[in-house]
C-alpha cells in the first residue's frame, strides 16, 4: 500500500523525514489507510506494508502538526483497529 | 491477577511497557483495554514472541502529571473489565441472536404482505382511522352541547369607541 500527498503549503523546510513502524499483525491495513486519510494535509505520508510491519514515512510536516504527529498517528491507527474501520 | 500474567517495565524516556500474555487475554480484549487510554496517553502495540503483546504508554503533554503507577494499575483493571465483557458477550451471543431474530420476525408478522412488499393500494389521502376528521364534525360543537349557541337574529353589541360628548 502506498499513500502519498504532495500538497503541504506550511511545511517546515529542511525537516528530515520521520519514520514510524507499526506491527502489521496488530494494525490492519484498513486502519493504516484510515489514519493516512485522517492526517492528509498535515504531512506527505508514504506507507510501505509487508506482512510483518507497516513502515510509515512523514515528510514535509506542516508547522501546525506539532511534535507529536507520529504518536497521534499511532493512536488514531489503534483507534481505527479497535473500531474496525 | 493482572500483575501475575502481565509484566511492566519503565523506559528511560518515561514511557511504560506492559507485556500481556495473549494466551490469557485475547488480542481484542487487550486492544479494547488500550483503547480506553487513548485520550490521555499515546499507546502503541506490538507483538513479542511467543504470543505476547507489548503496549507502550507515553503520557500526553496535557496529562504529564499522571503517575505511571496509576496508568499501570488502571490498565490491569481495564484488562479484567474488558475480559469479562468479552466472556459475557461470548456466552450470550446465541441468546442475543435469538432475541433479534424473534424481534425481526414479530415486526415482519405485524405488517401485512402487501405493506411489506410496498404494494399497498392506499394513498396518503386515505384516512381509515378518521384522524383527519375535524373535532366539530366528529363530536359536535361545544356550544351546541351547552345550549349557549348564538342566536343569529339577535344583534350582538360589539365593543367600540365611547361616544363623543
Amino acid at each position: 500500500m502506498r499513500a502519498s500527498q504532495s500538497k503541504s503549503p506550511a511545511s517546515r523546510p529542511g525537516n528530515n523525514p520521520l519514520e514510524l513502524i507499526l506491527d502489521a499483525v496488530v494494525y490492519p491495513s484498513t486502519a493504516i489507510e484510515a489514519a493516512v486519510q485522517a492526517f492528509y494535509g498535515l504531512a506527505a505520508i508514504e506507507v510501505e506494508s509487508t506482512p510483518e510491519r507497516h513502515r510509515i514515512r512523514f515528510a514535509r510536516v506542516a508547522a501546525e502538526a506539532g511534535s507529536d504527529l507520529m504518536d497521534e498517528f499511532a493512536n488514531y491507527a489503534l483507534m481505527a483497529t479497535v473500531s474496525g474501520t | 491477577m493482572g500483575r501475575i500474567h502481565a509484566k511492566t517495565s519503565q523506559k528511560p524516556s518515561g514511557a511504560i511497557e506492559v507485556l500481556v500474555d495473549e494466551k490469557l487475554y485475547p488480542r481484542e480484549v487487550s486492544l479494547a483495554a488500550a483503547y480506553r487510554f487513548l485520550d490521555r496517553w499515546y499507546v502503541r502495540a506490538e507483538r513479542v514472541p511467543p504470543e505476547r503483546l507489548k503496549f507502550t504508554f507515553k503520557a500526553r503533554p496535557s496529562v504529564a502529571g499522571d503517575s505511571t503507577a496509576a496508568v499501570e494499575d488502571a490498565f490491569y483493571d481495564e484488562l479484567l473489565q474488558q475480559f469479562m465483557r468479552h466472556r459475557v458477550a461470548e456466552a450470550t451471543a446465541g441468546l442475543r441472536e435469538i432475541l433479534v431474530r424473534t424481534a425481526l420476525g414479530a415486526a415482519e408478522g405485524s405488517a401485512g404482505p402487501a405493506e411489506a412488499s410496498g404494494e399497498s393500494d392506499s394513498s396518503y389521502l386515505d384516512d381509515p382511522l378518521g384522524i383527519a376528521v375535524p373535532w366539530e364534525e366528529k363530536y359536535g360543537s361545544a356550544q351546541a352541547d351547552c345550549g349557549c349557541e348564538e342566536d343569529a337574529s339577535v344583534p350582538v353589541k360589539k365593543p367600540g369607541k365611547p361616544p363623543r360628548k
Side-chain angles (χ1 to χ4, degrees):
Chain A
M1 182 181 72
R2 254 174 193 275
S4 61
Q5 175 254 333
S6 56
K7 188 183 172 188
S8 182
S11 61
R12 287 182 288 201
N15 253 9
N16 290 328
L18 305 167
E19 191 172 275
L20 172 68
I21 292 174
L22 296 175
D23 194 322
V25 177
V26 177
Y27 299 86
S29 293
T30 50
I32 302 298
E33 282 170 19
V36 168
Q37 284 189 3
F39 285 76
Y40 183 92
L42 291 176
I45 305 171
E46 190 175 282
V47 181
E48 282 178 29
S49 294
T50 66
E52 288 294 310
R53 63 186 181 178
H54 303 288
R55 185 187 292 273
I56 304 140
R57 290 195 190 91
F58 302 85
R60 298 193 294 280
V61 178
E64 66 268 23
S67 57
D68 300 317
L69 178 69
M70 287 199 303
D71 291 321
E72 294 286 357
F73 186 95
N75 262 21
Y76 194 97
L78 186 59
M79 183 275 295
T81 299
V82 174
S83 62
T85 52
Chain B
M1 181 181 166
R3 287 179 189 278
I4 298 167
H5 304 296
K7 203 189 267 183
T8 309
S9 62
Q10 187 158 6
K11 292 169 84 174
S13 62
I16 311 176
E17 289 181 349
V18 181
L19 277 173
V20 179
D21 193 337
E22 288 200 277
K23 284 186 216 156
L24 295 167
Y25 298 104
R27 185 172 299 163
E28 60 263 34
V29 167
S30 47
L31 287 176
Y35 176 81
R36 299 293 300 269
F37 291 82
L38 293 180
D39 59 335
R40 287 166 291 137
W41 296 78
Y42 293 124
V43 186
R44 288 191 202 176
E46 63 180 301
R47 282 171 310 139
V48 176
E51 294 188 66
R52 287 186 179 196
L53 211 55
K54 183 173 81 178
F55 289 95
T56 308
F57 292 86
K58 184 179 147 191
R60 284 178 181 266
S62 55
V63 291
D66 279 16
S67 73
T68 51
V71 71
E72 182 189 337
D73 290 338
F75 183 66
Y76 291 140
D77 286 348
E78 195 59 43
L79 261 181
L80 284 173
Q81 284 185 30
Q82 293 296 335
F83 185 63
M84 183 54 71
R85 289 167 71 103
H86 181 73
R87 289 279 296 271
V88 170
E90 271 186 348
T92 58
L95 181 62
R96 276 183 283 120
E97 194 178 324
I98 291 168
L99 283 172
V100 171
R101 195 181 297 156
T102 308
L104 289 175
E108 279 179 6
S110 65
E115 288 174 33
S117 61
E119 294 171 357
S120 174
D121 291 334
S122 61
S123 73
Y124 73 97
L125 290 173
D126 295 339
D127 185 23
L129 298 176
I131 295 168
V133 178
W135 178 274
E136 290 79 7
E137 201 175 302
K138 207 170 182 178
Y139 300 105
S141 70
Q143 287 174 335
D145 289 346
C146 71
C148 53
E149 198 168 6
E150 282 184 9
D151 190 352
S153 61
V154 179
V156 178
K157 191 177 180 182
K158 291 183 180 175
K161 288 181 182 176
R164 280 189 178 179
K165 288 184 180 176

